[in-house]
Amino acid sequence: MQESLQELFEKRIHQFISNTREQKNLYPKAEKKLASLSKRSAEIVKVKAAGNIIEKIEKGNDETVHYVAHFQYLIKQKGALYLEEETEMRLAKLYKGEVISDEEIAPVQNGGNHPDIPIETDDLVVRASYQYDRLRAVQYAERWWNSYNPAYKKFENNCTNYISQCLRAGGAPMRGYPNRGNGWWLQNNNWSYSWAIANSLRLFLANSKGGLRAREVSSPAQLLLGDVICYDFEGDGRFNHNTMVTGKDAYGMPLVNANTYNSRMRYWAYEDSSAYTPHIKYKFFSILD
């Protein structure tokens, strides 16, 4: 079984390298990533992949294996190099030790079923001044992109909880406890909608008048390290994913870190993601001091 999975990994690695891949057998994930890179005049010069088995179920000659695949891509763009990483939860089925199917288990992206946060006005908010430390926010994003800080609750859909932790590491002050529909906070094993739910954080950043505040900008090129991008994959107005800017590519465009789709230094547009659709919409928020 392990030999079959290793052989599968080796075949996939070759699909990412332009001078070794076979177009007729192109791995769909590689096809998306290579197309996205081509638009940016970038290429993968080296790739590594490794797997970690989470669960194995055997029934006669049949085996079902849940595992995590970890990809590392060394990307070259305009003479500069950077390392992108991502993990996937995958499900493989084998018969007599041979792989007969292998597919990604896509995380469920949930905008959240709850009342939207009301638009706040100055007289409803106690102002809190702070200095946002972008470096610390990014350092935290790098430290925990592929694991979970035991000091915080872990959510099944952890992308917004992770971004909130990054913002908190940058010094953003909590406020609004104990009203879950107001402010941005985590306390006593309870949390505001905006702390943990993607659409609520997007609404909070757009409307907050005190403490953690942000300015919406029109282009990702305007974002700085430590800023936030929100994603509405289906384009239905309910945002279901958030990332933090942790780097810039050779053209000055954001590279982002995220949980749920655990990834680091990934190109902001997510065109290579299994969640991407042609209807995707984005919101770009620059954090204010």
Side-chain angles (χ1 to χ4, degrees), residues 1 4-5 57-65 92-102:
M1 182 267 291
S4 296
L5 287 176
I57 301 172
E58 297 183 16
K59 188 175 182 180
N61 292 323
D62 296 311
E63 289 181 279
T64 300
V65 180
K93 294 184 178 180
L94 300 89
Y95 179 73
K96 292 185 177 179
E98 295 298 322
V99 177
I100 58 175
S101 69
D102 179 55

Side-chain angles (χ1 to χ4, degrees), residues 1-66:
M1 182 267 291
Q2 289 183 332
E3 290 180 358
S4 296
L5 287 176
Q6 183 61 39
E7 182 180 353
L8 180 66
F9 270 63
E10 290 174 358
K11 288 180 178 178
R12 286 187 178 154
I13 287 172
H14 289 300
Q15 296 295 313
F16 287 102
I17 308 300
S18 60
N19 62 352
T20 62
R21 68 177 184 269
E22 299 176 17
Q23 291 291 342
K24 62 181 179 180
N25 295 319
L26 198 60
Y27 176 37
K29 180 183 185 67
E31 185 175 16
K32 288 183 179 181
K33 186 168 288 290
L34 291 170
S36 174
L37 288 165
S38 179
K39 291 180 182 178
R40 304 192 286 126
S41 301
E43 64 176 331
I44 297 173
V45 296
K46 188 175 183 180
V47 59
K48 292 183 178 180
N52 182 32
I53 295 174
I54 304 299
E55 181 184 31
K56 181 173 67 172
I57 301 172
E58 297 183 16
K59 188 175 182 180
N61 292 323
D62 296 311
E63 289 181 279
T64 300
V65 180
H66 292 261

Side-chain angles (χ1 to χ4, degrees), residues 177-249:
Y177 176 81
N179 184 349
R180 299 191 71 192
N182 185 53
W184 174 79
W185 54 270
L186 175 75
Q187 189 172 332
N188 297 333
N189 202 34
N190 199 3
W191 56 90
S192 64
Y193 297 134
S194 59
W195 181 277
I197 297 175
N199 196 55
S200 290
L201 179 61
R202 186 267 301 187
L203 290 168
F204 179 78
L205 292 176
N207 298 313
S208 177
K209 301 297 190 299
L212 173 59
R213 298 178 300 136
R215 174 174 59 93
E216 185 176 350
V217 297
S218 59
S219 167
Q222 296 172 267
L223 297 175
L224 305 174
L225 301 190
D227 285 339
V228 174
I229 301 178
C230 306
Y231 300 74
D232 171 8
F233 289 120
E234 297 81 17
D236 61 4
R238 200 149 189 89
F239 286 70
N240 39 27
H241 188 55
N242 296 306
T243 67
M244 173 163 284
V245 179
T246 53
K248 292 290 185 81
D249 73 2

Side-chain angles (χ1 to χ4, degrees), residues 240-279:
N240 39 27
H241 188 55
N242 296 306
T243 67
M244 173 163 284
V245 179
T246 53
K248 292 290 185 81
D249 73 2
Y251 291 99
M253 298 300 287
L255 304 173
V256 299
N257 284 27
N259 263 191
T260 304
Y261 291 95
N262 289 3
S263 54
R264 67 173 296 273
M265 301 292 277
R266 185 177 196 164
Y267 190 64
W268 70 272
Y270 263 60
E271 292 174 335
D272 61 337
S273 169
S274 59
Y276 179 87
T277 77
H279 308 293

Side-chain angles (χ1 to χ4, degrees), residues 52-227:
N52 182 32
I53 295 174
I54 304 299
E55 181 184 31
K56 181 173 67 172
I57 301 172
E58 297 183 16
K59 188 175 182 180
N61 292 323
D62 296 311
E63 289 181 279
T64 300
V65 180
H66 292 261
Y67 70 99
V68 177
H70 183 179
F71 295 90
Q72 295 179 304
Y73 314 98
L74 184 62
I75 296 174
K76 183 178 180 181
Q77 186 186 43
K78 292 180 64 176
L81 296 171
Y82 70 89
L83 184 67
E84 175 185 340
E85 297 184 73
E86 63 178 328
T87 64
E88 287 181 348
M89 288 295 300
R90 300 193 67 85
L91 176 65
K93 294 184 178 180
L94 300 89
Y95 179 73
K96 292 185 177 179
E98 295 298 322
V99 177
I100 58 175
S101 69
D102 179 55
E103 59 186 17
E104 180 184 0
I105 305 173
V108 176
Q109 296 296 335
N110 180 15
N113 297 316
H114 56 80
D116 289 338
I117 297 175
I119 297 175
E120 298 169 324
T121 56
D122 287 343
D123 60 338
L124 296 178
V125 175
V126 177
R127 290 191 175 275
S129 178
Y130 76 102
Q131 183 73 31
Y132 183 50
D133 191 327
R134 296 179 178 275
L135 177 59
R136 288 195 175 185
V138 170
Q139 287 174 334
Y140 188 96
E142 287 283 85
R143 169 63 181 85
W144 296 106
W145 76 270
N146 196 30
S147 58
Y148 303 95
N149 187 342
Y152 288 92
K153 175 181 173 62
K154 176 187 173 183
F155 293 80
E156 182 178 359
N157 187 326
N158 203 63
C159 72
T160 303
N161 178 42
Y162 166 73
I163 296 303
S164 288
Q165 292 175 36
C166 295
L167 292 167
R168 181 62 176 165
M174 298 183 190
R175 63 173 180 81
Y177 176 81
N179 184 349
R180 299 191 71 192
N182 185 53
W184 174 79
W185 54 270
L186 175 75
Q187 189 172 332
N188 297 333
N189 202 34
N190 199 3
W191 56 90
S192 64
Y193 297 134
S194 59
W195 181 277
I197 297 175
N199 196 55
S200 290
L201 179 61
R202 186 267 301 187
L203 290 168
F204 179 78
L205 292 176
N207 298 313
S208 177
K209 301 297 190 299
L212 173 59
R213 298 178 300 136
R215 174 174 59 93
E216 185 176 350
V217 297
S218 59
S219 167
Q222 296 172 267
L223 297 175
L224 305 174
L225 301 190
D227 285 339

